Amino acid sequence: MTDSLLSIAVLISGSGSNLQALIDASDRDELGCAISVVISDRPDVFGLERAAQAGISTEVVDWSDHDSRASFTSSVCDVAERYDVRGLVLAGFMRILSPGAMVRFPNAIINVHPALLPAFPGARAVDLALEYGATLTGVTVHFVDEEVDHGPIIAQESLPVYVGDDAVSLHARIQKVEHRLLPEVVAAFGRGDLTVEGRRVRWRQDSTEETDS
Ligand code: GRF
């Protein structure tokens, strides 16, 4: 079964709760992809323990061992290619990959972002939504392109910002959505259901709906 699944690498920088959601979906045979390797940009993060616990190979490509973003990116891609993966899933990966990664994995790098892009890009998305006074925020899962938090949007889901929210309470509710949405998108990617047309991402069921109507 696993042999026929599309092979992916999951890139992390921290606690790896999104990685855990991917592992759990895989355990339920709902991921449609096999996680061949988990790559972290730093050692000693809890996500690496989660991967090891699940019997998944782990690799550290230490950001501090590299003198440029391009050389870091190239090392990450080299490791991923060694595992023969067909896609990269950035699950709480806090580094920006240089364009070389998109050349080596075209339309095959997926990122999860804790806001409704194009609102609140960058590493402070949850804080920025609160500071701005937004009453709605959400989760975006998108393909990665050469600009930060910018590539074609695959899925988005909104959620309300409550008056009493702080960054912790809001991020906790956002993560609940992430943990459901990211595995759903990765499963669609694994099935080959996603097609990129310019900035639009079509899900295979989209064309069925058009034919039916
Ligand atoms: C997630 O909220 C993700 O959207 C953001 O960083 C967080 C990582 O969480 N980029 P985790 O490491 O998956 O727990």
Side-chain angles (χ1 to χ4, degrees):
M1 171 74 179
T2 308
D3 285 348
S4 62
L5 296 176
L6 194 87
S7 174
I8 56 167
V10 180
L11 277 55
I12 61 166
S13 297
S15 103
S17 69
N18 279 287
L19 166 66
Q20 189 65 56
L22 294 169
I23 292 170
D24 293 346
S26 172
D27 288 346
R28 297 191 303 269
D29 283 334
E30 288 173 8
L31 192 61
C33 289
I35 306 172
S36 298
V37 60
V38 170
I39 303 172
S40 172
D41 65 313
R42 40 186 157 155
D44 305 325
V45 298
F46 185 53
L48 289 171
E49 282 179 42
R50 295 183 194 265
Q53 192 74 33
I56 300 169
S57 300
T58 60
E59 300 277 353
V60 175
V61 179
D62 202 326
W63 173 259
S64 56
D65 290 344
H66 295 80
D67 55 12
S68 71
R69 188 178 309 285
S71 97
F72 170 76
T73 299
S74 164
S75 296
V76 168
C77 292
D78 288 348
V79 169
E81 282 181 2
R82 230 175 39 232
Y83 286 83
D84 207 19
V85 306
R86 295 289 178 264
L88 310 182
V89 177
L90 315 190
F93 184 64
M94 302 310 281
R95 300 289 174 190
I96 296 162
L97 294 172
S98 61
M102 291 106 235
V103 173
R104 290 169 73 173
F105 293 94
N107 290 335
I109 308 177
I110 292 170
N111 183 46
V112 59
H113 182 75
L116 291 177
L117 292 172
F120 313 126
R124 296 189 60 248
V126 179
D127 290 320
L128 290 177
L130 285 166
E131 286 165 18
Y132 198 82
T135 58
L136 271 183
T137 187
V139 173
T140 303
V141 185
H142 65 96
F143 283 115
V144 171
D145 71 1
E146 290 74 11
E147 293 177 47
V148 177
D149 295 331
H150 173 270
I153 290 169
I154 309 170
Q156 288 188 302
E157 193 168 310
S158 63
L159 55 94
V161 180
Y162 297 137
V163 175
D165 264 333
D166 58 17
V168 173
S169 63
L170 181 55
H171 197 200
R173 291 208 316 289
I174 285 173
Q175 286 219 300
K176 261 190 152 167
V177 176
E178 291 183 335
H179 297 163
R180 177 170 41 74
L181 205 57
L182 182 61
E184 277 175 22
V185 167
V186 172
F189 175 71
R191 289 191 303 268
D193 280 356
L194 304 178
T195 312
V196 182
E197 294 169 8
R199 282 213 51 87
R200 297 285 301 274
V201 177
R202 274 183 189 282
W203 289 60
R204 193 186 296 276
Q205 78 218 31
D206 288 352
S207 51
T208 317
E209 276 166 15
E210 274 169 19
T211 316
D212 289 344
S213 59

